[in-house]
Each structure stands twice: as C-alpha cells, then as structure tokens.
Amino acid sequence: QATHGGIMLLMSYNCNLACKYCYQQEHRPHKSKALMTEEFIDSIFERHIASILPGIELKNTDLSFYGGEPFLPANAPVIRKALTYAKRYGMTSRAITNATQVDAMLDIFGEGPGKVSNVQISLDGDRDLHDKSRIPASGEKTFDKIVDNIALLLKQGTHVNIRLNLDRRTLASIPRLLTELKNRKIIGHPKASIYASPLHDNVADVDTTDFMDAGELSSKV
C-alpha cells in the first residue's frame, strides 16, 4: 500500500521562451489551445482525489506545477485555486519554471502548505551563453532576470534547485557562472542547491552536435 504520492498539473503547453533544444517545440503548436481551468481543479479535488491517490493521506502528497511555463499570467487563477486546496489538505507544492515571470506573483512562494516551497530553475551556462540559448523568440536576454528572480525566491523562503543544462560548449563556462552566483550570494545560500544535467534530444528533432552523455559529462567534470 502506497503511503506517499503526488499530482502534477500541466496548465498548458504555452511558454514565453523558445529554446531550440526544447522537446516540446514540435508539439506545442498542436496543443497550445488547451488551457486548464479553475473548474477542472475543483473537479480534481472535490470529486476525483480519492481515486487518483487511493488510501493516501493528502498531507503526504506533493502538488507540482509544470508546463510549458506554469507561471504565465494566464495560469495565475488556476495556480491560486490549486494552492487553496494544497493549504486545506496540508500538501507541499513545487514547480519547474524558467523563472522569468515569477516576480509577478511572488506572494504564492514561500514555506508551508499553500505556498510553492520548492522550484527547479535551469541555466544554460554563463550569462553570454545562456542569453544565446534560453531566450524568447524575440531574442530578448533572460539571464539577469532569472538570476534576480532566483534571489527573490530565496528571500521568500523557497528552496531553489538550479539545474545546469550542459553540453560541450557550455561546460567550460561553468566556473564563470559559479563565480557570478557566489557573488550574488546564491551559491552557499541554505535554500539553494545546484546540479548538472547533460542536454539530450528527448523526442524533438534538434541539433545534437554539442550534446554529450552522462558518462562524458562525469569524466569532464
């Protein structure tokens, strides 16, 4: 009998970034009109939660927000509705986000039920490389905005897991990135952690020239 479980909510496939390696890029045009509603959230928690997580106390579950980018303004009502249930049932909440827009709804982040207490945020190397990779279609730079928002989230009491998206090109930039994050008092913060993950092609047709597997990444690190 399971004692722990979780629910992941995908509000939509929409995203404000257009990263070339994103595995959703081929699928987003066909699914971008699908948007989760507040009524759907009510249905999950009022009618279906017992069958989704049979025999599991909700205080032992996680509520996760995913996308696309979950914290787009259009998703705010659904997120806030879901967090009211998380608070009611004592659930912890987490998210995977690009962190470019979290400052617009900073009040939902923090510690305890009803708040998003843990987030994963990706960086694609140091400032110069990141700003050529993790960008919207317009090419607008995002590095400083994301790092500023990481600092805001830490100040709110949210645990931030920084994921380094690495390939052969970006790996060499990591010392510069770590220096930047140390200077910003992010590396070393008790609620910040950092880990590396090699980029891979998933299910999208992307340029894999600079990709490396976990074995190569480990040997180079």
Side-chain angles (χ1 to χ4, degrees):
Q1 175 67 47
T3 58
H4 291 75
I7 299 175
M8 177 176 281
L9 300 178
L10 197 162
M11 276 71 65
S12 76
Y13 282 95
N14 295 333
C15 186
N16 58 318
L17 299 188
C19 308
K20 292 181 179 179
Y21 58 79
C22 179
Y23 73 90
Q24 292 185 4
Q25 62 179 310
E26 293 181 359
H27 313 287
R28 186 168 290 124
H30 311 293
K31 299 182 178 180
S32 60
K33 293 181 180 180
L35 298 173
M36 191 173 289
T37 65
E38 293 180 72
E39 292 75 18
F40 185 78
I41 299 297
D42 286 330
S43 177
I44 289 175
F45 285 97
E46 299 290 350
R47 297 173 53 196
H48 300 295
I49 195 70
S51 59
I52 294 172
L53 298 168
I56 298 176
E57 292 187 59
L58 292 186
K59 66 180 181 180
N60 294 329
T61 64
D62 288 327
L63 178 65
S64 301
F65 299 105
Y66 186 58
E69 167 52 35
F71 299 114
L72 295 177
N75 297 332
V78 169
I79 291 172
R80 292 183 183 278
K81 169 74 76 169
L83 288 174
T84 62
Y85 285 105
K87 184 175 182 179
R88 180 188 304 178
Y89 295 120
M91 304 170 71
T92 57
S93 301
R94 59 184 67 243
I96 298 174
T97 173
N98 62 41
T100 58
Q101 303 197 21
V102 296
D103 53 313
M105 52 184 88
L106 201 59
D107 61 295
I108 70 171
F109 296 93
E111 297 182 88
K115 299 286 187 179
V116 180
S117 58
N118 189 301
V119 298
Q120 175 189 298
I121 298 169
S122 294
L123 294 173
D124 290 4
D126 67 358
R127 177 183 283 100
D128 289 341
L129 287 172
H130 175 99
D131 281 340
K132 294 173 183 174
S133 173
R134 205 160 181 79
I135 53 176
S138 63
E140 180 183 350
K141 297 178 179 180
T142 64
F143 180 87
D144 287 316
K145 178 67 171 179
I146 292 172
V147 173
D148 286 346
N149 282 345
I150 289 174
L152 287 175
L153 290 171
L154 292 173
K155 189 175 181 180
Q156 286 289 107
T158 297
H159 188 103
V160 178
N161 298 299
I162 302 169
R163 172 183 168 128
L164 305 180
N165 289 326
L166 299 184
D167 58 18
R168 296 186 185 96
R169 222 168 26 88
T170 57
L171 181 59
S173 76
I174 296 307
R176 296 189 296 274
L177 172 62
L178 294 179
T179 297
E180 172 87 15
L181 297 180
K182 286 177 181 177
N183 290 340
R184 291 294 306 270
K185 295 182 169 51
I186 291 172
I187 298 299
H189 191 286
K191 286 189 173 292
S193 60
I194 188 165
Y195 71 100
S197 180
L199 288 173
H200 52 94
D201 58 356
N202 285 291
V203 294
D205 182 17
V206 296
D207 181 6
T208 62
T209 304
D210 293 314
F211 284 14
M212 55 185 172
D213 61 23
E216 183 180 350
L217 172 61
S218 297
S219 66
K220 289 182 181 295
V221 169

